[in-house]
Amino acid sequence: MVYVVGLLSLVFLILAILVLTRLTSVLKGVSGGVSDEQQVRPLGMSNRINGMLFLAFLIFGSIAAAWSFIHASDYFLPEASSPHGRRTDNLFWLVMAIITLAFFVTNALLFVFAFRYQYRKDHKATYYPENHKLELIWTVIPAVVMALLVFTGWRAWRDIMSEAPTDALVIEIVGKQFNWELRYPGVDNNKLGNYNYKLIDANNSLGIDLADEASFDDFTATEMHIPVGKPILLKIRAKDVLHSVFIPHMRVKMDAVPGMPTRFWFIPDKTTEQMRNETGNQSFRYEIACTEVCGQGHFSMKMNLVVEDEDSFRKWVSEQKPWLTNNPDYLARVPENLRAKAAKYVPADATSAPADSTSAPAEEAAGGASTASLR
Amino acid sequence: MATVGTSAASSAHVEEHEHHEPQSFLRKYIFSEDHKTIAKQYMFSGIFWAIIGASLSIIFRLQLGFPDMKLEWLRPILGNWIDSSGKLDKEFYLALVTMHGTIMVFFVLTAGLSGTFSNFLIPLQVGARDMASGFLNMLSYWFFFLSSVIMFASLFIETGPASGGWVIYPPLSALPQAVSGSGLGMTMWLISMALFIVSQLLGGINYITTVINLRTRGMSFSKLPLPIWAFFLTAVLGLISFPVLLSAALLLIFDRSMGTSFYLSEIYIGGEALPNVGGSPILFQHLFWFLGHPEVYIVLLPALGITSEVIATNSRKPIFGYRAMIASMIGIAFLAFIVWAHHMFVTGMNPFLGSIFMFLTLIIAVPSAVKAFNYITTLWRGNIVFTPAMLFSIGLVSFFISGGLTGIILGNSALDIQLHDTYFVVAHFHLVMGAASAFGFLAGVYHWFPKFFGRMMNNTLGQIHFWFTFVGIYLVFFPMHYIGIAGFPRRYYSFTSYDAFQTFGDLNTFVSLAAILTFGAQFLFLYNFVYSIFRGRKAPLNPWRSNTLEWTTPLHPGHGNWPGEIPAVYRWPYDYSKPGAAEDFIPQNVPYSQTPESNLPHENALIALEKEIEAQNYNDQFKQPH
Ligand code: HEM
Ligand SMILES: [Cu+2]
Ligand SMILES: [Cu+2]
């Protein structure tokens, strides 16, 4: 990086010197007496110097751009760890190649023409108001290129945004000022229970709705663990203001919107361990960031992410306790008819609910309004 | 040269049309209805705001480039926004980026640019005595002024100015408990913007009416100079889109203070669940970007118009593809309304909509490309004079290309997943919109300074100003692409919390240094500008040897612009270096009958129409009783 900085400052310095030399020469020119016309329009020496500067800018600028690009490229698009990520990376570099070409060609023409066709006395510009053929060509070429890009981009987008496979592991990630919260569908089923924001209180920070039996075994976590090679479906929501889940290495980004759950699915295919070996950085960690401004702690809403093999993941899951187990008081919120089921997750001594073996379907979040008063 | 030119010269000292009695100081310089005075008012306000906006960015660049720096020395200005450990307050950092964006986009590049040049050039270039309604025009400026005062005052209140980003997404902007800037600061932001929109609408109606109704004899739409086309389309864009922002702001005001739930739903904040349900924060984003995307073209089109004029004049060549330029501007203006959701690819919007908007967005690259090619071809085989205005115009084209190209990546929704809200976006729009439009403004000031003030700016100083600014801006924004590709999110106070964003510390330092240098170079301009207003060389009547009508007015055009009849127009504005002609330019008011040596075959046929043009009944406001 130091090289880049050094080089760019050097370019700046050279240009500054060029400018200064031209300043002095112009000052000399002024004292040497220039025509009236030249004092209004810079036709003499100063015009030539500016023409030259454009050429110099093109040359030094291109070198600086290429050089700095190469040096910075170590950090570009950090190693992708998901198949869709590699796909968009490839697409990115394809488009990048096209626009880099266009960038150099058009800028070069611009500056070379500026240099080449600078004012010459007794010279007349070519009266050349239009050329329909030329205009047609440079309308059609970008149009065709754009059509190709739209097509490839659209196919990638369609696949990435498609419905998640049914066997995807569902994880709920909730943004709030200023951290992320997680809920896993639990040790026994792959189903997240309902929630209701009115049920949120000091302990139940996700508003888990215990009227839904699917929520009994749900557990929360402060670090995200996911198994490698399996589709993961993130169910994303926000409690207070907008946030946005960003997992740089997974090429995952999706806003978290209060009142409107969103989702994003992906397949992590490199474990943390693997990345440590690949990057040679033994303290490597996957991280989750926030990319929608949400207040003063926006820049530090970090959550760590661990990608591990299936066994380690299973082991980790088995070590987690359902939220209800950690908060046995909330058994009181479970409707009578489900208490028996819920009791399974509550340590024996904390249970005092009457047994009831009927398994009536869970009432929808109906508890919301009535239980809100319990706060 | 034309007869009108000489007659204008001899009567250069006729300041006032005899019909008008002298006005009081207040009416002449403060509450003036004269478009030239109003244009100057906009220009000075715009420059004032540009200094404020740029200074704010220097403060947050200090934070980003030198995260460990003690900023105690800023306490005399910032007071308690510097905390006890000498660091910038985190919420104030957000307030800085918010106000920087708001000021630059709306107050500098919308009001400052359009306000200055639409007001100044429309009557002068279409050949009108003044705007259609001088009174509305004055009202427009004073609404803007009021809006400015409120926005400026909000910088100094205790809870700080608005701090939810220039896009003020709710719920953050709706809930004072979420960030302190969403208290009084946000209220003032909304009031200020509401007034601003009123000002824009009054201005826009005037621009449109003037262009349609007050063109001089012979000034058909196909002979309009390109800046006028640009200003016209800009005003149309503004007229259609600003009301939508007004409604978005009104609904936000309701949500903030009247308990409605347009944008709010299921929110738990500050230890309590809010009663609002059923609203949608995404609705706000749709409304905002329905203005927001046209807005970026509202900012850019006038700059492109100015550039077209300056490049043609100083290449001594007709603008290449005049009709294609107009067509592409119309195309851009139309497409600008149907691409807004490309700012919202990852908001959870229906992916199908994402596909549609990707398609429409990439279409807009085509007319943009056509414009760039046409500028380049205009230079080809020209006889280029590097006046400062010309330098800035060439710089603009370079920025427009470099920044526009990255739009092709961002417009691809699949690629936008990774790049959205990173520094890549910041680099994109600062080049294509910020820097390009700012260069348009500077080019305009350098080019029309002689008409504004009757004096010349110093060319050499202008050229040095250009080189420092041009190189400086590339040094600031080019490396930002790298930072963005590495995934660095925007609006981050610091990058210390993440392993993933530990690199590029020195590149950020470099960017900050370049920003300070570029900012410093602007004082060359300020000095040149102020000095030349009072001491500059007296300008010749047509210093750049240009074709458009404003150069046929007296050195200091009085009220009504032309002392006698308004000149009629016979030809398009780009007859530069016409084969056969003695000079390398033929002003628009020179009839074909006077230039038999250079007429093209079909133009000889137009000689017969000249009598008709001269006999036309047109809207000379001075000929009507008022
Ligand atoms: C080639 C044509 C262009 C395309 C395809 C394009 C595409 C885009 C896209 C997709 C975004 C959203 C990026 C994101 O937030 O993730 C964006 C942002 C932006 N573009 Fe462009 N753009 C183009 C030209 C322009 C022009 C000409 C301007 C201004 C005159 C402009 C100004 C902006 C601004 C201000 C933003 C960022 C707003 C914000 O998030 O604060 N773009 N552009
Ligand atoms: Cu955030
Ligand atoms: Cu846009």
Side-chain angles (χ1 to χ4, degrees):
Chain A
M1 259 348 282
V2 185
Y3 297 112
V4 183
V5 177
L7 188 91
L8 287 172
S9 352
L10 193 72
V11 170
F12 207 105
L13 203 73
I14 292 172
L15 280 167
I17 291 169
L18 280 173
V19 165
L20 285 179
T21 49
R22 87 163 281 312
L23 171 66
T24 47
S25 69
V26 165
L27 288 181
K28 261 186 240 133
V30 170
S31 55
V34 251
S35 75
D36 218 38
E37 171 66 23
Q38 284 199 3
Q39 283 195 19
V40 175
R41 297 199 298 162
L43 296 178
M45 188 61 177
S46 98
N47 208 56
R48 243 165 291 149
I49 292 172
N50 278 285
M52 247 132 64
L53 281 174
F54 272 121
L55 202 61
F57 182 81
L58 174 64
I59 295 168
F60 287 114
S62 305
I63 296 173
W67 180 292
S68 61
F69 182 94
I70 291 166
H71 275 268
S73 60
D74 290 351
Y75 307 116
F76 286 172
L77 293 179
E79 193 61 37
S81 306
S82 59
H84 88 264
R86 277 188 293 278
R87 181 168 177 189
T88 54
D89 283 8
N90 288 338
L91 209 53
F92 174 83
W93 288 117
L94 170 75
V95 186
M96 199 55 154
I98 295 173
I99 69 171
T100 306
L101 184 74
F103 169 76
F104 278 112
V105 170
T106 46
N107 271 302
L109 287 178
L110 182 70
F111 297 136
V112 167
F113 286 174
F115 169 74
R116 168 76 180 71
Y117 299 108
Q118 57 184 281
Y119 177 86
R120 277 169 297 156
K121 210 165 160 20
D122 307 323
H123 179 263
K124 206 166 183 184
T126 309
Y127 187 82
Y128 192 62
E130 57 190 355
N131 178 338
H132 290 299
K133 207 158 155 199
L134 210 57
E135 290 172 75
L136 194 68
I137 293 175
W138 66 46
T139 310
V140 169
I141 291 182
V144 171
V145 175
M146 288 306 132
L148 283 174
L149 294 181
V150 167
F151 186 65
T152 48
W154 169 74
R155 286 203 321 180
W157 171 252
R158 179 199 59 189
D159 294 347
I160 295 168
M161 290 290 145
S162 60
E163 283 299 316
T166 43
D167 65 335
L169 168 67
V170 179
I171 302 173
E172 183 179 59
I173 178 163
V174 182
K176 72 173 242 289
Q177 289 181 326
F178 294 100
N179 60 282
W180 296 105
E181 294 180 284
L182 291 180
R183 182 160 65 122
Y184 281 75
V187 286
D188 292 339
N189 62 14
N190 191 12
K191 266 174 83 182
L192 280 168
N194 287 336
Y195 65 88
N196 185 324
Y197 85 107
K198 293 213 166 158
L199 296 173
I200 297 174
D201 58 35
N203 296 320
N204 188 2
S205 75
L206 290 172
I208 299 173
D209 180 5
L210 292 166
D212 178 2
E213 59 180 307
S215 50
F216 296 161
D217 67 339
D218 293 357
F219 65 86
T220 60
T222 52
E223 186 176 62
M224 189 188 280
H225 283 247
I226 50 178
V228 70
K230 274 199 66 175
I232 310 293
L233 171 63
L234 296 182
K235 291 198 164 178
I236 303 164
R237 59 189 175 101
K239 269 160 66 172
D240 37 35
V241 299
L242 294 172
H243 301 272
S244 186
V245 179
F246 178 35
I247 316 180
H249 290 88
M250 301 295 168
R251 309 294 187 262
V252 167
K253 186 176 290 149
M254 183 52 72
D255 284 2
V257 184
M260 190 190 90
T262 56
R263 49 179 58 205
F264 198 109
W265 77 273
F266 64 102
I267 301 175
D269 63 1
K270 286 183 189 169
T271 61
T272 304
E273 220 27 65
Q274 248 173 311
M275 283 296 275
R276 287 190 175 160
N277 295 334
E278 269 183 36
T279 59
N281 171 9
Q282 283 313 309
S283 53
F284 173 86
R285 281 180 304 187
Y286 288 112
E287 290 163 325
I288 304 175
C290 176
T291 50
E292 187 63 70
V293 63
C294 56
Q296 67 161 335
H298 170 53
F299 71 104
S300 58
M301 269 181 70
K302 182 171 81 163
M303 172 172 270
N304 288 324
L305 165 66
V306 178
V307 183
E308 52 199 354
D309 58 44
E310 185 80 29
D311 290 343
S312 322
F313 177 71
R314 292 245 158 277
K315 184 158 165 287
W316 177 79
V317 168
S318 67
E319 285 161 7
Q320 306 303 310
K321 290 214 187 75
W323 182 83
L324 192 57
T325 311
N326 289 334
N327 297 275
D329 298 351
Y330 282 76
L331 195 59
R333 303 271 184 92
V334 178
E336 296 276 297
N337 55 358
L338 295 176
R339 286 251 168 97
K341 281 194 164 175
K344 193 174 115 199
Y345 298 102
V346 178
D349 51 332
T351 327
S352 56
D356 187 345
S357 57
T358 53
S359 54
E363 295 166 70
E364 278 290 68
S370 55
T371 46
S373 57
L374 288 174
R375 264 191 291 122
Chain B
M1 261 246 321
T3 37
V4 180
T6 37
S7 73
S10 60
S11 52
H13 297 289
V14 183
E15 284 280 21
E16 289 281 296
H17 196 270
E18 55 270 85
H19 165 106
H20 283 262
E21 55 289 345
Q23 294 168 316
S24 67
F25 176 84
L26 207 65
R27 290 289 288 165
K28 194 163 170 196
Y29 295 108
I30 311 291
F31 295 105
S32 169
E33 295 184 15
D34 187 299
H35 72 102
K36 298 180 291 297
T37 309
I38 295 174
K40 284 179 205 168
Q41 290 172 332
Y42 269 114
M43 178 159 68
F44 294 134
S45 316
I47 292 176
F48 167 80
W49 273 121
I51 298 169
I52 302 285
S55 310
L56 299 182
S57 74
I58 295 300
I59 301 176
F60 64 71
R61 266 326 309 182
L62 284 179
Q63 163 64 28
L64 289 170
F66 310 93
D68 302 323
M69 192 182 204
K70 291 267 175 279
L71 295 175
E72 255 116 14
W73 51 278
L74 279 173
R75 196 164 282 145
I77 315 172
L78 299 184
N80 287 336
W81 296 119
I82 305 290
D83 68 17
S84 51
S85 59
K87 298 281 294 170
L88 198 65
D89 182 87
K90 297 183 183 65
E91 284 195 357
F92 192 63
Y93 173 85
L94 293 178
L96 285 173
V97 283
T98 304
M99 294 312 279
H100 167 73
T102 306
I103 289 171
M104 287 305 196
V105 171
F106 293 111
F107 289 63
V108 179
L109 295 176
T110 304
L113 184 63
S114 280
T116 305
F117 293 103
S118 295
N119 269 313
F120 193 69
L121 291 179
I122 289 179
L124 284 174
Q125 288 199 336
V126 305
R129 297 285 180 202
D130 203 318
M131 281 291 175
S133 166
F135 179 71
L136 285 190
N137 209 18
M138 175 185 83
L139 219 53
S140 161
Y141 177 76
W142 288 102
F143 266 105
F144 166 63
F145 188 82
L146 197 61
S147 149
S148 297
V149 169
I150 294 173
M151 193 61 86
F152 190 66
S154 84
L155 288 169
F156 300 100
I157 60 178
E158 185 166 1
T159 48
S163 47
W166 77 281
V167 298
I168 56 151
Y169 285 171
L172 186 62
S173 59
L175 305 172
Q177 58 271 55
V179 65
S180 64
S182 290
L184 182 60
M186 195 62 218
T187 306
M188 291 172 80
W189 193 99
L190 288 166
I191 295 173
S192 168
M193 281 311 295
L195 294 170
F196 183 90
I197 293 167
V198 172
S199 151
Q200 283 302 304
L201 297 181
L202 291 173
I205 291 172
N206 237 330
Y207 305 151
I208 294 172
T209 320
T210 310
V211 173
I212 293 180
N213 288 322
L214 295 181
R215 283 165 292 129
T216 183
R217 294 162 296 170
M219 181 63 90
S220 60
F221 268 90
S222 59
K223 295 198 193 88
L224 273 189
L226 287 174
I228 306 300
W229 266 106
F231 300 149
F232 177 71
L233 291 170
T234 302
V236 173
L237 281 181
L239 212 55
I240 299 175
S241 60
F242 267 116
V244 179
L245 180 64
L246 186 62
S247 49
L250 276 180
L251 298 188
L252 185 53
I253 291 173
F254 292 161
D255 271 8
R256 285 166 56 82
S257 43
M258 293 175 202
T260 56
S261 316
F262 291 106
Y263 306 133
L264 305 180
S265 184
E266 303 189 22
I267 290 169
Y268 180 90
I269 192 167
E272 63 168 337
L274 304 186
N276 315 63
V277 285
S280 163
I282 304 300
L283 168 65
F284 179 87
Q285 298 187 19
H286 279 296
L287 293 175
F288 182 89
W289 287 113
F290 188 84
L291 157 93
H293 188 85
E295 168 65 19
V296 306
Y297 285 98
I298 290 174
V299 164
L300 186 68
L301 281 180
L304 290 176
I306 288 170
T307 304
S308 310
E309 183 67 27
V310 172
I311 286 190
T313 304
N314 290 297
S315 302
R316 316 307 298 161
K317 262 191 76 185
I319 191 84
F320 182 80
Y322 173 76
R323 275 160 202 281
M325 286 301 225
I326 296 171
S328 56
M329 280 199 284
I330 293 175
I332 287 174
F334 172 71
L335 288 170
F337 281 110
I338 48 173
V339 298
W340 77 89
H342 64 211
H343 298 273
M344 303 167 56
F345 284 138
V346 293
T347 53
M349 187 174 73
N350 185 328
F352 176 69
L353 271 183
S355 315
I356 303 288
F357 277 98
M358 159 163 63
F359 175 65
L360 294 169
T361 297
L362 293 191
I363 295 182
I364 212 171
V366 175
S368 310
V370 169
K371 285 197 87 73
F373 291 136
N374 284 4
Y375 287 128
I376 293 173
T377 315
T378 306
L379 297 184
W380 181 70
R381 306 187 89 181
N383 203 23
I384 303 169
V385 185
F386 294 113
T387 64
M390 182 63 173
L391 293 175
F392 278 99
S393 298
I394 296 176
L396 183 157
V397 176
S398 176
F399 290 150
F400 178 58
I401 294 173
S402 308
L405 284 171
T406 48
I408 295 172
I409 289 190
L410 294 172
N412 196 323
S413 51
L415 306 184
D416 191 53
I417 294 171
Q418 178 74 0
L419 295 171
H420 174 65
D421 266 341
T422 64
Y423 270 85
F424 197 81
V425 178
V426 179
H428 159 69
F429 73 78
H430 274 91
L431 281 182
V432 74
M433 174 173 90
S437 304
F439 269 34
F441 181 79
L442 290 168
V445 171
Y446 279 111
H447 192 77
W448 280 287
F449 194 88
K451 200 72 260 163
F452 272 110
F453 300 106
R455 293 175 185 276
M456 306 296 297
M457 287 178 82
N458 182 311
N459 277 331
T460 307
L461 218 51
Q463 289 165 332
I464 295 175
H465 171 222
F466 166 76
W467 282 106
F468 274 102
T469 313
F470 185 54
V471 175
I473 284 180
Y474 262 126
L475 290 185
V476 172
F477 295 112
F478 207 78
M480 265 188 207
H481 293 104
Y482 304 158
I483 300 175
I485 299 174
F488 285 47
R490 65 196 281 206
R491 299 184 178 130
Y492 266 31
Y493 172 77
S494 90
F495 291 100
T496 45
S497 319
Y498 290 88
D499 296 347
F501 309 137
Q502 282 311 303
T503 49
F504 282 142
D506 38 9
L507 197 58
N508 265 321
T509 311
F510 174 79
V511 166
S512 293
L513 285 175
I516 293 167
L517 221 141
T518 314
F519 179 65
Q522 302 319 301
F523 288 94
L524 289 176
F525 169 76
L526 276 184
Y527 168 78
N528 197 353
F529 181 77
V530 176
Y531 179 89
S532 305
I533 289 180
F534 299 105
R535 293 278 165 77
R537 262 173 56 101
K538 188 159 176 283
L541 277 182
N542 189 355
W544 319 120
R545 301 156 70 76
S546 180
N547 286 346
T548 36
L549 283 186
E550 73 272 27
W551 306 107
T552 64
T553 59
L555 189 59
H556 295 281
H559 185 51
N561 295 339
W562 285 268
E565 284 250 294
I566 302 178
V569 162
Y570 304 95
R571 61 178 75 227
W572 77 325
Y574 299 108
D575 264 348
Y576 290 105
S577 300
K578 211 167 178 195
E583 292 277 4
D584 63 358
F585 69 115
I586 311 177
Q588 280 194 281
N589 58 325
V590 177
Y592 288 118
S593 52
Q594 286 184 19
T595 57
E597 68 284 356
S598 67
N599 289 350
L600 302 172
H602 75 276
E603 288 168 347
N604 279 321
L606 296 175
I607 293 178
L609 297 177
E610 283 168 12
K611 287 272 153 324
E612 225 168 279
I613 289 177
E614 276 148 30
Q616 256 172 30
N617 184 13
Y618 67 105
N619 297 310
D620 187 343
Q621 290 144 295
F622 281 7
K623 288 232 171 119
Q624 287 149 14
H626 64 284

